[in-house]
Amino acid sequence: MLVASVTNLDDLDKIRDLADIVELRLDYFDIDRKPLFPCLFTLRKKEQGGVREILEKERLAQIEKLLELQPEYCDIEADTDPVFIERIAKKFPKVKLIGSYHNFQETPQDLDALLQSMKNPHFTIYKIAVTAQSSADMLRLMVFARNAKVSISAISMGEYGKPSRVLGPIVGNALDYAGLEEDASLHRYSLKALHEVFHYRKLNRDTQIYALIGDPVEQSPGHLFHNPRFKHNAAYIKMRVTAEELPVCFELIQKLPFGGLSVTIPLKEKISPYMDEIKPIAKAIGAINTVIFRSQKAIGTNTDGPGALNAIEKRRKVHGKQLAILGAGGTARAIAYEAKQRGAIVSIYNRTPERAKQLAAEFNCSGYGLDEPCSYEILVNTIPPKSLFVPPILPQTVVMDVVYYPRETPLLKAAKKLACQCIYGEEMFTEQALLQQLEWCK
Ligand code: NAP
C-alpha cells in the first residue's frame, strides 16, 4: 500500500487519488479530528527525524490522546517503553501499530538481529528505514525484506536508496512511502512518478526487475524509455554501482527477481567474469551493455553497435561507404565492429593514435591521430563532450554524435550549418534500448 507523507493538512485533497493511506506528521501540525481518509499518525521524536523538541513523557501522552481519534495506523518507535505500547494496544485495539526504526547514518550489517530487537507482539508492521551508503546496502535491505517472515516495510534512504521506493511492492513491503513532490533532499520519487513512470499499482512479488547499473546513471533516460514499453510484469530502475561494488551488488542482484540489466561505464568490461554465457558480438567487442537472466543463467550481449548502425542505416546504408569514427574507446569499438560486419570501410581517429591503430588492426580497418586528414561519407563521434573537440566537417555527409547529453552537441550544431544529415545520440540510445527489450522479452 502506498502511504503519502504530508506535513501540511492542505495537501490532503491532492493525494486522495494517488495514495491508499495518508501519514500525518503530527510533529509538524496539530489536529482535532481524523480526516475522512485512512490515516497513519506519526509523532516522531527529534532523534528519529521529528521536528519538535518535546519531552518523551509529553510525547507519549500526546500520542495516547491522538489515538482517541482512531486512526487506522500509528507509527511508534520500536524502542518505545513496552509498557506504554501494551497500554495503547489494549486501549485502542482497532489501531494497527507500526513499530519503526530509523537510521540516518547507515544500514546496519545484521538486519535479522535488528528485526529481532524490534519484536513486540503488538506490532502489526515493522518499518525499517535505514540509510544506504551504497547500492549494495540498498539491495541487501531489499533481499532481507523479500525473505522476511513478518509484515515489513523496508525503506532505503539516501541517494543510493532511491530505487527501493520502486522495489517495495516487489519485495513485499506492506507500506511504501512517497511525497506529493519529488524531493531531491529525501531522494524520493513523487507519488505521480511512482504511478506514471513505474506503474506502482501493477507491481507485485512476481514483477521482474530490470536495472541500469554503472556510474554515473542519474542522467540516463532508461527508466523513461523502458518502463512504458514492457509487455510483461516488469519495472526498470537505475542503480549507481561502482567497479568496486560490482562483485557484491551482482551477488545480491541474483537473489532478487531480476530479468535483465543495462550496463554502462565503468562496468561494460568488468562484468564479463560474472556471465555464464557471452554472445559472440559481446565477445568480439570485449564489452557487455546488456545482461539477460534466463533459466538461472546470466547471459551477456551488446546492443550498442547494432543500435548505432540501425540509426545510421535509417538515413544511409553503410555497405561500401567510408565511415569515420572519432574516438577509440568502448563505444567506438562496438560501432567499428558492427560497421565492418555491415560492409562499411571504417577508419578510426583518436587523441592517442596508438589506440586507434591497435583497434583498427583488430577489426581490419585503418587508425589515425585526430589531427590527420579525414575523408568520409558518414562520421560518428564517440568523444565525450567535455573534450570540446570539433573536427573539420564535410558538407552534406551523415553526421552522428553518440553523446546524448547535451542533445545538441557542438559537432551537430556545426554539421547542421553544412546541410549534413544529423543523427542525435538519443536515436542511438533508442535503437540500442529497443534491441535490449527484444533480448529481454524473447
Ligand atoms: P571511453 O571508452 O572512455 O572512450 C572515450 C574516448 O574519447 C577515447 O577514445 C578517448 O581518447 C577520447 N577522449 C576522451 N577525452 C578526450 C579529450 N579531451 N580529447 C580528445 N579525445 C578524448 O568512453 P565510451 O564508453 O566509448 O563512451 C563515449 C561516449 O559515448 C560517452 O559520452 C557515452 O555516454 C556515449 N554513449 C552513448 C550511447 C548512446 O546510446 N547514445 C551508448 C554508449 C555510449 P584516448 O584513447 O586518447 O583516451
Side-chain angles (χ1 to χ4, degrees):
M1 279 193 294
L2 196 48
V3 181
S5 229
V6 300
T7 51
N8 180 345
L9 259 188
D10 297 340
D11 286 344
L12 245 175
D13 278 342
K14 301 180 197 150
I15 56 103
R16 272 182 210 283
D17 296 335
L18 298 170
D20 306 297
I21 303 172
V22 63
E23 178 185 40
L24 302 182
R25 285 293 306 267
L26 298 168
D27 42 331
Y28 281 81
F29 56 85
D30 297 315
I31 52 165
D32 49 18
R33 64 190 164 81
K34 181 187 139 354
L36 288 172
F37 196 75
C39 282
L40 189 175
F41 284 4
T42 301
L43 180 56
R44 280 259 172 280
K45 34 176 147 175
K46 191 102 191 197
E47 313 85 89
Q48 295 263 299
V51 288
R52 255 195 244 170
E53 200 72 72
I54 178 169
L55 288 174
E56 184 61 0
K57 207 171 148 196
E58 201 180 309
R59 189 178 76 94
L60 297 185
Q62 277 191 30
I63 290 175
E64 194 164 344
K65 182 99 189 82
L66 281 163
L67 291 184
E68 286 169 11
L69 300 178
Q70 294 288 340
E72 281 73 6
Y73 295 89
C74 176
D75 180 314
I76 190 105
E77 290 81 356
D79 62 359
T80 303
D81 180 0
V83 177
F84 173 76
I85 294 173
E86 175 144 20
R87 190 171 68 242
I88 57 168
K90 289 199 170 138
K91 194 167 162 191
F92 306 104
K94 285 193 183 145
V95 180
K96 295 187 190 82
L97 296 182
I98 301 167
S100 67
Y101 168 85
H102 291 77
N103 188 324
F104 298 99
Q105 274 77 46
E106 56 166 12
T107 303
Q109 275 309 316
D110 195 341
L111 291 166
D112 288 310
L114 170 64
L115 179 60
Q116 207 49 44
S117 73
M118 293 168 69
K119 285 272 172 77
N120 184 309
H122 300 297
F123 290 154
T124 307
I125 297 171
Y126 291 87
K127 178 185 178 194
I128 297 182
V130 290
T131 302
Q133 301 290 359
S134 65
S135 289
D137 277 347
M138 184 276 293
L139 287 166
R140 195 158 57 76
L141 183 70
M142 294 298 100
V143 171
F144 167 75
R146 196 163 158 96
N147 296 330
K149 300 279 183 287
V150 293
S151 186
I152 206 161
S153 178
I155 318 275
S156 190
M157 299 188 288
E159 179 201 337
Y160 289 99
K162 198 170 176 181
S164 76
R165 309 288 178 159
V166 178
L167 298 181
I170 306 172
V171 299
N173 263 2
L175 304 172
D176 291 305
Y177 292 71
L180 200 51
E181 305 292 339
E182 173 130 10
D183 189 326
S185 66
L186 288 178
H187 303 283
R188 197 166 74 171
Y189 289 107
S190 67
L191 287 162
K192 224 169 153 206
L194 280 184
H195 289 297
E196 290 178 5
V197 179
F198 299 102
H199 311 120
Y200 178 87
R201 297 255 185 254
K202 293 189 177 158
L203 307 180
N204 53 45
R205 285 184 78 91
D206 296 329
T207 302
Q208 283 206 298
I209 310 166
Y210 294 81
L212 168 66
I213 60 166
D215 185 22
V217 293
E218 200 44 41
Q219 277 172 354
S220 166
H223 60 308
L224 301 176
F225 180 88
H226 286 294
N227 279 307
R229 283 177 175 79
F230 285 118
K231 299 270 187 295
H232 61 296
N233 181 359
Y236 187 99
I237 53 170
K238 300 191 292 187
M239 295 194 297
R240 188 172 153 208
V241 176
T242 60
E244 295 70 42
E245 279 167 14
L246 180 61
V248 53
C249 283
F250 199 79
E251 201 182 316
L252 290 162
I253 280 170
Q254 288 178 302
K255 293 182 178 170
L256 289 167
F258 269 82
L261 298 171
S262 304
V263 186
T264 188
I265 46 172
L267 308 178
K268 285 186 177 183
E269 290 89 21
K270 299 196 169 65
I271 201 158
S272 301
Y274 303 93
M275 298 297 106
D276 299 299
E277 188 187 318
I278 299 178
K279 292 202 178 182
I281 186 166
K283 255 190 204 153
I285 296 164
I288 287 166
N289 84 327
T290 309
V291 175
I292 308 130
F293 292 108
R294 190 171 296 141
S295 313
Q296 315 293 324
K297 274 188 180 172
I299 305 161
T301 188
N302 198 308
T303 64
D304 277 337
L309 268 291
N310 285 355
I312 294 168
E313 291 206 312
K314 280 188 174 165
R315 312 297 201 295
R316 205 171 286 186
K317 292 288 171 209
V318 301
H319 193 270
K321 306 270 173 20
Q322 285 189 310
L323 185 147
I325 300 173
L326 305 176
T331 310
R333 210 180 153 79
I335 295 175
Y337 172 81
E338 185 65 18
K340 280 295 287 183
Q341 294 292 310
R342 298 191 191 195
I345 303 154
V346 177
S347 41
I348 298 160
Y349 296 82
N350 194 43
R351 173 176 65 180
T352 314
E354 301 76 49
R355 240 184 130 189
K357 290 190 167 74
Q358 205 179 342
L359 180 55
E362 255 186 83
F363 291 156
N364 195 21
C365 46
S366 35
Y368 308 95
L370 276 181
D371 49 358
E372 291 181 68
C374 181
S375 115
Y376 57 83
E377 290 151 283
I378 300 155
L379 178 68
V380 181
N381 178 55
T382 73
I383 298 175
K386 61 179 188 295
S387 76
L388 299 177
F389 170 76
V390 180
I393 296 166
L394 305 177
Q396 294 174 1
T397 51
V398 173
V399 177
M400 173 157 114
D401 202 326
V402 306
V403 171
Y404 58 74
Y405 194 83
R407 180 173 192 267
E408 192 100 334
T409 60
L411 174 76
L412 290 179
K413 267 188 198 156
K416 247 186 180 173
K417 289 188 186 145
L418 293 168
C420 296
Q421 279 183 281
C422 291
I423 308 176
Y424 292 89
E426 66 196 26
E427 268 193 68
M428 168 178 168
F429 176 83
T430 300
E431 294 294 336
Q432 63 79 29
L434 279 172
L435 294 171
Q436 291 187 320
Q437 284 268 331
L438 287 178
E439 291 287 354
W440 291 330
C441 303
K442 263 180 193 166

